[in-house]
Amino acid sequence: MRIGIVTAGGDCPGLNAVIRAAVRKGVLHYGNEFVGFTEGWRGLIEDLSMPLNLQTTDEILSRGGTILRSSRLDIRQVHGGYVKCMQTMARHGVEALIAIGGNGTQAASLALSEVGVNVVGVPKTIDNDLSGTDMCFGFDTAVNVATEAIDRLHTTAEAHNRVIVCEVMGRHTGWIAACAGLAGGAHVIVIPERPIDLDDICAQVQYEWQEGRQYAIIVAAEGAHLPNTEWTSPTRKLGGIGIALAKVIEERTGYETRSISLGHVQRGGTPTAYDRQLATRYGVAAVDVVNERRYGRMVALKNSVIVDIPLEEAVAPPRGVDAQLMGVITALRPAALKFTSLSTESSG
Ligand code: F6P
C-alpha cells in the first residue's frame, strides 16, 4: 500500500518523530511505500511532495519543525479542494493519508473522510486542546520551554522587586499556562477557563509583598480575557494580554511591572523525550490503523494507552483545563485575599 503523510497547521516539536516512526513501521513490517505531501494541505492541492523512506527519515527523530513543512491553508476553504486532494492522491497511487495536526487539520480530515478519502489523524498541538485524547505531542516540549523561562524570570523579578507577567500560547485554553505555571512556581496563573478577577490578581500580588517576597511572577494564557480591553474581541488575533495585564497591575498596585510574551519559542527546537516517545507511539499506531483499513479515525492517548477514536470525537469543542488541575492552582494560594487599593495604602 502507498500511504501519504501530511503535517498541517502550526508546527510543533515531535512532527518528525511521527513521520519517522510511521515510515519505519510501514516499510519494515507491512512493506508500505510513503509519499510526503509538503506545506500542509497546499501539498495536496498543488501536488507538492517529497519521497519518504528509511533514508529520508533517518536522523530526524530529535529535530523540531517538520521535514514536510506546514501551512495554515485550510482545504475546506479551497474551491474544489477535496477533488484536487483526491486527484493528487490518485496521481501518486496513494490509498490512504495520515494527517498530523490539531483541531483544524482533524476537522479537514473528517470532511475529507466524509467525501470518501481514506484518512487517519494524529493529534498534534502545543495547546493540548484536542478532544478525545489525554495528550497531544508537542505540549510537553512547550511546557518545558515555558517552565525554563519562568524559572529565569524569578531571579530577575526578585532582583528588581518587580512583577513580571509571562504570556504563553495555548489558543483558547490554558493548558500551557496551568502546567508551566505550576512547574515554574508562578504566584498567579491566569487561564481562559476562569474569568479574570483583577482585584483578586492584585491581591495575590500584594500578598507576595506582605509576605516579604517583594516580587511576583504571573503566567497568563494568551486566550484569557481581560474585561474592558481591546483583547476581549473574539475576532482579534490572540496575544497581547501580557502587556495589558502588566499595565493594569502596575497602575493598581504601584509595583513596577514588566511583561514578556514567549510566543513561537514554545513551538521551536528539539522535542522532549516525552514528546519523542509519544510521537513515535502515535506514528506506529497510525500505520497500524491504516493497514487495518480502519479509516476516519484518529490515534489518541487514553489512560496512558494508545487507542484510536472516530474523527468526530476529535473535532468536538476544544478540551479546556480540567477541574482537578484548576483545583491544584487554587490549592497553592491563600483562600481569602482582599485587594487594598492604592488610595488607602502606599505602594512598595
Ligand atoms: O495552535 C498552536 C499555536 O501556537 C497557538 O498556541 C497560537 O495561538 C497559534 O498557534 C499561533 O499561530 P501562528 O503560528 O499562525 O501565529
Side-chain angles (χ1 to χ4, degrees):
M1 191 199 295
R2 268 171 85 76
I3 301 168
I5 301 185
V6 63
T7 54
D11 74 311
C12 79
L15 285 164
N16 287 324
V18 179
I19 297 166
R20 169 184 174 270
V23 170
R24 287 189 75 82
K25 174 83 196 257
V27 170
L28 298 175
H29 295 268
Y30 293 111
N32 296 146
E33 290 176 356
F34 289 86
V35 177
F37 294 106
T38 58
E39 298 182 30
W41 294 116
R42 184 174 296 125
L44 284 132
I45 300 290
E46 298 177 15
D47 197 351
L48 311 171
S49 68
M50 67 173 276
L52 288 179
N53 51 46
L54 294 181
Q55 287 70 43
T56 56
T57 59
D58 195 26
E59 301 292 339
I60 63 169
L61 170 63
S62 61
R63 204 190 301 171
T66 160
I67 59 167
L68 295 178
R69 307 206 174 207
S70 192
S71 69
R72 289 218 180 267
L73 183 105
D74 187 339
I75 203 163
R76 294 168 296 170
Q77 309 298 326
V78 178
H79 183 67
Y82 303 152
V83 174
K84 285 180 182 150
C85 173
M86 286 190 245
Q87 287 169 341
T88 303
M89 286 175 68
R91 255 194 307 277
H92 288 268
V94 163
E95 181 180 326
L97 187 66
I98 295 177
I100 314 171
N103 291 296
T105 306
Q106 301 313 334
S109 299
L110 177 61
L112 276 174
S113 167
E114 284 168 350
V115 296
V117 178
N118 300 327
V119 194
V120 170
V122 177
K124 162 242 69 168
T125 168
I126 63 163
D127 305 332
N128 204 36
D129 61 350
L130 213 50
S131 284
T133 183
D134 295 345
M135 187 77 97
C136 299
F137 71 88
F139 170 65
D140 184 68
T141 307
V143 168
N144 274 279
V145 169
T147 301
E148 192 198 334
I150 295 163
D151 284 347
R152 289 173 185 277
L153 293 176
H154 274 272
T155 56
T156 176
E158 182 181 29
H160 287 267
N161 292 3
R162 280 175 177 161
V163 179
I164 298 188
V165 182
C166 177
E167 179 185 301
V168 296
M169 282 185 166
R171 212 169 274 272
H172 301 293
T173 63
W175 286 104
I176 299 176
C179 292
L182 287 174
H187 304 106
V188 185
I189 297 173
V190 180
I191 56 175
E193 289 83 351
R194 272 183 178 163
I196 289 185
D197 179 344
L198 280 173
D199 276 353
D200 184 59
I201 291 173
C202 292
Q204 290 186 68
V205 168
Q206 275 182 339
Y207 171 78
E208 301 307 328
W209 260 258
Q210 284 155 8
E211 290 298 299
R213 184 169 286 107
Q214 297 200 86
Y215 80 95
I217 302 296
I218 300 177
V219 176
E222 63 178 357
H225 299 286
L226 191 55
N228 308 318
T229 72
E230 53 186 313
W231 287 284
T232 53
S233 163
T235 54
R236 280 182 70 94
K237 220 174 161 203
L238 290 165
I241 181 143
I243 295 172
L245 208 49
K247 186 167 175 282
V248 180
I249 288 169
E250 184 166 290
E251 278 167 8
R252 287 179 151 227
T253 63
Y255 304 135
E256 192 177 25
T257 305
R258 296 282 193 268
S259 74
I260 173 180
S261 172
L262 295 186
H264 292 80
V265 170
Q266 296 157 98
R267 278 198 353 219
T270 187
T272 57
Y274 181 88
D275 275 338
R276 292 181 206 185
Q277 61 82 28
L278 181 61
T280 299
R281 292 163 74 196
Y282 278 152
V284 165
V287 161
D288 286 340
V289 175
V290 166
N291 279 279
E292 289 158 16
R293 292 180 165 77
R294 292 188 298 110
Y295 301 124
R297 305 192 66 81
M298 184 186 81
V299 296
L301 185 75
K302 285 205 174 160
N303 302 320
S304 305
V305 175
I306 304 288
V307 297
D308 54 89
I309 59 170
L311 278 169
E312 286 86 352
E313 220 180 288
V315 302
R319 190 178 57 99
V321 171
D322 57 68
Q324 191 180 56
L325 193 52
M326 284 200 246
V328 176
I329 296 171
T330 308
L332 298 179
R333 47 157 297 176
L337 283 173
K338 195 167 165 5
F339 172 56
T340 314
S341 84
L342 276 181
S343 53
T344 55
E345 186 198 60
S346 61
S347 71

